[in-house]
Amino acid sequence: KAGVTQTPRYLIKTRGQQVTLSCSPISGHRSVSWYQQTPGQGLQFLFEYFSETQRNKGNFPGRFSGRQFSNSRSEMNVSTLELGDSALYLCASSSGVTGANVLTFGAGSRLTVL
Amino acid sequence: GENVEQHPSTLSVQEGDSAVIKCTYSDSASNYFPWYKQELGKRPQLIIDIRSNVGEKKDQRIAVTLNKTAKHFSLHITETQPEDSAVYFCAVSRQALNDYKLSFGAGTTVTVRA
């Protein structure tokens, strides 16, 4: 059974640019969540999508957005990049159902903003 | 959002000894408490989880205890081995009312000395 796949694994951008990250969940999982991991702030929740709808959102500015497609694959976009956006972006997939919502993480996309 | 405090931030133990990590949370509606292990350069991986209807759960050398009244839960690792060296994160979630996000503790870096 394939795990959670994130692309690209590494990328370097400059301030002001925008970036799109992709996440393919485990087959059958309908929920995809995104987290930002930094040494200073730890793991911070960005948003969660379930059946193409954003079900929950963390405390990040509007520059951070996402979407989910009918095949449950998800993308997140960060516009007008800032130096502080440098981080490991992790996505996690799950069933999205109470009592069985165990999150499995992908390997992450490491973004460096210069 | 949910406030999760995790202690200690670093823990060094002799191989064969036990390690204990404690987390406290603020939201009494939280009912799901997973622990993730993240080795250097790797993705976080679920090692054990507990739901609010049980007080203790054990899986080989690891165990988790939950005290809902006091709003704290702990990870216990017995007979530690060098491969237990990693960063451990506790997390909490409501798992209901369309709120499935995980709020993470800041992490504990565990070093097992041979």
Side-chain angles (χ1 to χ4, degrees), chain A residues 3-4 9 35 37 42-43 45 48 55-57 59 88 90 96-107, chain B residues 1 31-32 36 38 41-46 49 51 89 93 95-106:
Chain A
V4 181
R9 290 292 314 281
Y35 291 82
Q37 185 173 26
L43 282 151
F45 172 75
E48 186 227 357
R55 190 159 65 170
N56 217 327
K57 188 178 189 301
N59 297 322
L88 179 66
L90 292 160
V97 176
T98 299
N101 197 53
V102 177
L103 269 65
T104 300
F105 283 90
Chain B
N31 59 15
Y32 177 60
Y36 284 84
Q38 188 175 29
K42 302 282 185 67
R43 71 193 74 190
Q45 291 199 304
L46 179 73
D49 58 8
R51 299 184 188 272
F89 293 95
S93 176
Q95 297 280 292
L97 298 175
N98 285 341
D99 186 356
Y100 294 88
K101 69 177 181 291
L102 291 179
S103 296
F104 284 88

Side-chain angles (χ1 to χ4, degrees), chain A residues 64-80:
Chain A
F64 292 81
S65 64
R67 59 178 176 169
Q68 187 179 33
F69 302 95
S70 58
N71 62 357
S72 293
R73 188 177 70 85
S74 176
E75 289 182 346
M76 69 162 282
N77 184 78
V78 187
S79 62
T80 320

Side-chain angles (χ1 to χ4, degrees), chain A residues 13-32:
Chain A
K13 294 285 187 178
T14 56
R15 280 181 299 173
Q17 287 187 311
Q18 66 95 26
V19 66
T20 299
L21 309 177
S22 178
C23 174
S24 293
I26 290 171
S27 178
H29 282 186
R30 296 165 65 189
S31 169
V32 173

Side-chain angles (χ1 to χ4, degrees), chain B residues 15-69:
Chain B
E15 182 178 358
D17 287 351
S18 295
V20 180
I21 305 169
K22 298 181 179 180
C23 286
T24 61
Y25 60 98
S26 58
D27 186 358
S28 57
S30 297
N31 59 15
Y32 177 60
F33 309 90
W35 285 88
Y36 284 84
K37 174 184 179 182
Q38 188 175 29
E39 297 177 33
L40 192 61
K42 302 282 185 67
R43 71 193 74 190
Q45 291 199 304
L46 179 73
I47 55 172
I48 195 167
D49 58 8
I50 192 168
R51 299 184 188 272
S52 61
N53 56 341
V54 296
E56 185 174 356
K57 184 176 178 181
K58 189 174 182 180
D59 182 4
Q60 298 183 6
R61 296 186 298 107
I62 59 173
V64 57
T65 58
L66 170 66
N67 183 328
K68 280 216 79 180
T69 302

